[in-house]
Amino acid sequence: MSRWRPPAEKSTALITPEGHARLKAELDDLWRVRRPEVVRALSAAAAEGDRSENAEYTYRKKQLGEIDRRVRYLSKRLEALRVVDTAPTDPDAVFFGAHVELEDVDSGECSRYRIVGPDETDARLGWISIDSPLARALLKKRVDDEFAVELPGGRRVFAVLAVDYGR
């Protein structure tokens, strides 16, 4: 079986200031707190003797690899990201960082979303990636605009009720 995987789609390199701070804090925690703890535990497990049958040693090696992989990813990603900390020149239209209230035209159901970078999406908070189909369809729309979008659950029609950039 081959280990080849197709390359991942390029994601938009935008992030909010809060998201950037969160990623930097995660990198700092991994590098200064979690990695040293795992290295200490790994050396203690290695000192116990036969490594081939030492489950603790194997587990810690795997854990260290995962931490190092995440540190490499975050280091590269943080350099590539562009922090967007200003509101757009046209605050009545939907752009990155906008809080948008939508109404499903068919069901009348209302929902609120925030358009953020792919590194900070959170479904519980209603934060959607700017790369998502809904966010792509929303860009440059204004209050009272209706638009159709093809979602995984099928084609839906929404109306924009409100747009704001408040924090």
Side-chain angles (χ1 to χ4, degrees):
M1 185 169 169
S2 173
R3 290 181 58 139
W4 182 84
R5 289 188 197 111
E9 290 184 31
K10 285 281 188 189
S11 59
T12 306
L14 298 176
I15 194 165
T16 62
E18 306 86 41
H20 190 261
R22 213 170 12 261
L23 288 182
K24 282 183 82 165
E26 179 186 355
L27 176 62
D28 189 53
D29 180 60
L30 285 171
W31 190 250
R32 296 183 194 277
V33 179
R34 294 201 33 219
R35 191 175 192 285
E37 288 173 359
V38 171
V39 167
R40 276 192 295 280
L42 179 64
S43 59
E48 292 176 8
D50 187 11
R51 294 179 187 174
S52 64
E53 295 181 13
N54 189 336
E56 179 72 13
Y57 177 80
T58 306
Y59 171 73
R60 294 301 181 176
K61 283 287 283 185
K62 190 177 208 175
Q63 193 177 26
L64 184 62
E66 291 168 1
I67 289 172
D68 287 344
R69 197 170 9 267
R70 183 70 178 160
V71 165
R72 272 192 309 276
Y73 171 78
L74 287 174
S75 298
K76 288 180 182 177
R77 187 68 178 161
L78 283 168
E79 289 176 6
L81 289 172
R82 188 175 63 123
V83 179
V84 178
D85 57 355
T86 58
T89 54
D90 184 5
D92 296 331
V94 177
F95 293 105
F96 182 83
H99 294 268
V100 183
E101 193 168 329
L102 299 177
E103 178 183 8
D104 187 321
V105 173
D106 298 330
S107 69
E109 184 179 324
C110 292
S111 49
R112 186 168 171 83
Y113 299 103
R114 181 176 185 201
I115 298 176
V116 296
D119 298 292
E120 52 187 334
T121 60
D122 188 342
R124 288 179 293 116
L125 298 173
W127 292 9
I128 60 172
S129 170
I130 192 164
D131 296 332
S132 69
L134 180 59
R136 289 279 178 207
L138 261 170
L139 291 177
K140 299 183 182 175
K141 300 292 185 274
R142 298 173 177 280
V143 174
D144 295 332
D145 283 356
E146 282 191 11
F147 65 96
V149 61
E150 192 65 40
L151 297 176
R155 186 174 176 81
R156 306 276 294 275
V157 179
F158 293 98
V160 179
L161 299 179
V163 177
D164 71 87
Y165 291 89
R167 298 281 171 194

